[in-house]
Amino acid sequence: MSTQVVVTGIGIVSPNGFGVEEYWDATRASRSGIGRITRFDPEQYPSKLAGEVEGFEVKEHLPSRLIPQTDRMTQLALVGAEHALGDAGVSTEEADEYGMGVMTASTSGGFEFGQGQLQNLWSQGSQYVSAYQSFAWFYAVNTGQISIRHGLRGPSGVVVSDQAGGLDALAHARRLVRKGSDLILSGGVDAAICPWGWVAQLTTGELSTEERPDRAYLPFDAEASGYVPGEGGALLILEDAEAARRRGATQVYGEILGYGSTFDPAPDSGREPTLRKAIEVALADAGLSAGDIDVVFADAAGTRELDRIEATAISEVFGPRAVPVTAPKTMTGRLGSGAAPLDVATAFLAMRDGVIPPTANVTLSPDYDLDLVTEPREAPVATALVLARGRGGFNSAVVVRSVDWN
């Protein structure tokens, strides 16, 4: 077994693209998936925009027996997992089922399913509450359903640290591979575009109330006024490099090279946020210096204070305007635990094609010393840093690098 953990497959379900190539084509072309909510009537709410996965007909993708027992979040995750395994060329029937596991992240669990069952309880009585409610809402349900469907019986679990959780899951998957697992399917998919989930997000006070899709989510812009939520994410196949070679893997996107995580002090403590430390830990874990990084995928919170904290951390580590910074999530919205794995997948696609994707619709505020990429930029990309933060003080950073698999 090697210590090199490589990514051999990617599955993407995103508001601006269903599948790897559709998403990547849209992202390079600055095509957004943000629009007025269609999954419920948003008229009574102050925020009315979201990134929705349009045109997803679950009956076209999953067996009918699974549909009544799964939330939309899990349905999207099951399709993403199938795409990732297919992209990697993995036949789970021929592999050691105990050598393969699942490690996902979740922010909200199955909110829409839970809302439906609560409505049944209140309006019709307890006998109309589905037995599937016992697990369909649960944070670990994506891990469980993927594991069952594909026979992945090795080490598995879930992490819950809001948007930072997507990177935390990938890092834990890397640990599991280093401890002896051949393959871990990892990442995150969230979907809480329903009234119950919407009200929960409104309590943060950080949702944009702008009704123009191209002006609603503007991280690092002088007009930044909050974020737009979205649904979807990405799932990746992480393998031990030697195990991947033994099974004859013909494609490798790159490797998970470094990871760092920190937790911010209490807001009233007088101490500084710790995102910079997370970056430094990730670089040290990767054995790289700041000058080795070709692009930073920003968390891009979309509020002035959080944008300032992130821009300051990047500038302090890399120097003013010293590294390209991008936030393609302006075209999808913030996808909870799915956002950072999607950024990791995007980083690998940028390496593959030599294109840094844009931060759509944003004009950089002069308050930030960033080299913000606002148009597609052709450039060789061999290493990337992906950042993510979660409510409550979570900070995570992952370094990824391209791999010569010839």
Side-chain angles (χ1 to χ4, degrees), residues 197-214:
W198 205 246
V199 169
Q201 295 190 71
L202 284 169
T203 63
T204 67
E206 296 175 358
L207 268 65
S208 172
T209 57
E210 171 63 56
E211 296 190 28
R212 294 173 293 173
D214 63 338

Side-chain angles (χ1 to χ4, degrees), residues 307-340:
D307 286 350
R308 180 193 65 78
I309 291 169
E310 183 172 29
T312 299
I314 293 171
S315 297
E316 288 177 348
V317 173
F318 295 95
R321 303 176 185 269
V323 63
V325 177
T326 189
K329 59 173 65 72
T330 55
M331 293 172 264
T332 64
R334 290 175 69 81
L335 309 182
S337 68

Side-chain angles (χ1 to χ4, degrees), residues 22 36 71 79 92 98-99 143 146 155 168 179 189 219 242 252 283 306 315 325 351 359 368:
E22 183 177 307
R36 185 179 172 88
D71 182 78
V79 174
T92 56
Y98 293 100
T143 289
I146 292 168
D168 297 337
K179 288 181 177 180
V189 172
E242 291 180 2
V252 166
L283 289 172
L306 290 173
S315 297
V325 177
M351 294 174 189
T359 308
Y368 309 121

Side-chain angles (χ1 to χ4, degrees), residues 28-391:
R28 285 180 297 176
S30 298
R31 289 198 298 271
S32 176
I34 292 174
R36 185 179 172 88
I37 293 170
T38 64
R39 295 192 56 74
F40 64 92
D41 183 0
E43 187 57 37
Q44 63 180 308
Y45 301 98
S47 299
K48 300 176 176 62
L49 302 180
E52 297 179 325
V53 179
E54 294 185 357
F56 176 71
E57 297 293 338
V58 63
K59 294 179 181 179
E60 298 176 3
H61 299 280
L62 297 177
S64 58
R65 64 176 178 79
L66 274 177
I67 296 173
Q69 60 180 279
T70 50
D71 182 78
R72 178 176 174 88
M73 167 196 73
T74 302
Q75 293 165 3
L76 292 171
L78 285 168
V79 174
E82 186 172 355
H83 287 182
L85 289 165
D87 189 43
V90 172
S91 174
T92 56
E93 295 178 356
E94 299 175 1
D96 174 13
E97 59 186 358
Y98 293 100
M100 302 179 294
V102 185
M103 177 57 60
T104 67
S106 179
T107 293
S108 56
F111 253 61
E112 189 171 20
F113 194 100
Q115 175 184 309
Q117 298 312 306
L118 285 174
Q119 288 174 324
N120 289 348
L121 174 65
W122 295 333
S123 63
Q124 301 178 71
S126 60
Q127 67 270 34
Y128 291 93
V129 176
S130 169
Y132 297 128
Q133 168 66 0
S134 62
F135 61 80
W137 72 271
F138 192 45
Y139 297 110
V141 66
N142 287 355
T143 289
Q145 290 284 16
I146 292 168
S147 173
I148 291 168
R149 189 174 190 213
H150 295 286
L152 309 178
R153 300 178 184 272
S156 299
V158 63
V159 293
V160 182
S161 45
D162 194 28
Q163 188 142 312
L167 295 186
D168 297 337
L170 293 174
H172 193 55
R174 182 180 70 150
R175 293 191 193 102
L176 293 175
V177 171
R178 286 180 165 180
K179 288 181 177 180
S181 295
D182 290 336
L183 178 154
I184 301 291
L185 189 154
S186 185
V189 172
D190 265 312
I193 311 300
C194 62
W196 193 18
W198 205 246
V199 169
Q201 295 190 71
L202 284 169
T203 63
T204 67
E206 296 175 358
L207 268 65
S208 172
T209 57
E210 171 63 56
E211 296 190 28
R212 294 173 293 173
D214 63 338
R215 305 307 300 160
Y217 180 27
L218 303 172
F220 307 115
D221 192 303
E223 296 183 17
S225 61
Y227 73 92
V228 174
E231 62 180 1
L235 292 165
L236 288 71
I237 304 299
L238 278 65
E239 297 190 66
D240 173 72
E242 291 180 2
R245 290 189 185 279
R246 285 197 303 270
R247 74 168 180 86
T250 59
Q251 166 187 264
V252 166
Y253 287 98
E255 66 178 311
I256 308 293
L257 191 64
Y259 166 68
S261 66
T262 58
F263 195 78
D264 285 339
D268 57 355
S269 68
R271 292 181 289 163
E272 292 296 315
T274 59
L275 178 61
R276 174 180 176 176
K277 183 64 176 178
I279 297 172
E280 292 170 342
V281 171
L283 289 172
D285 185 43
L288 299 179
S289 65
D292 296 319
I293 299 298
D294 295 317
V295 62
V296 174
F297 283 76
D299 175 67
T303 65
R304 294 187 182 183
E305 177 61 13
L306 290 173
D307 286 350
R308 180 193 65 78
I309 291 169
E310 183 172 29
T312 299
I314 293 171
S315 297
E316 288 177 348
V317 173
F318 295 95
R321 303 176 185 269
V323 63
V325 177
T326 189
K329 59 173 65 72
T330 55
M331 293 172 264
T332 64
R334 290 175 69 81
L335 309 182
S337 68
L342 183 58
D343 277 345
V344 171
T346 308
F348 285 129
L349 296 171
M351 294 174 189
R352 185 190 70 180
D353 293 346
V355 178
I356 299 174
T359 308
N361 303 318
V362 171
T363 300
L364 179 66
S365 167
D367 294 337
Y368 309 121
D369 283 327
L370 298 177
D371 175 15
L372 190 69
V373 178
T374 57
E375 298 290 339
R377 182 184 297 181
E378 294 188 3
V381 179
T383 59
L385 173 72
V386 178
L387 304 179
R389 291 174 290 180
R391 289 189 60 79

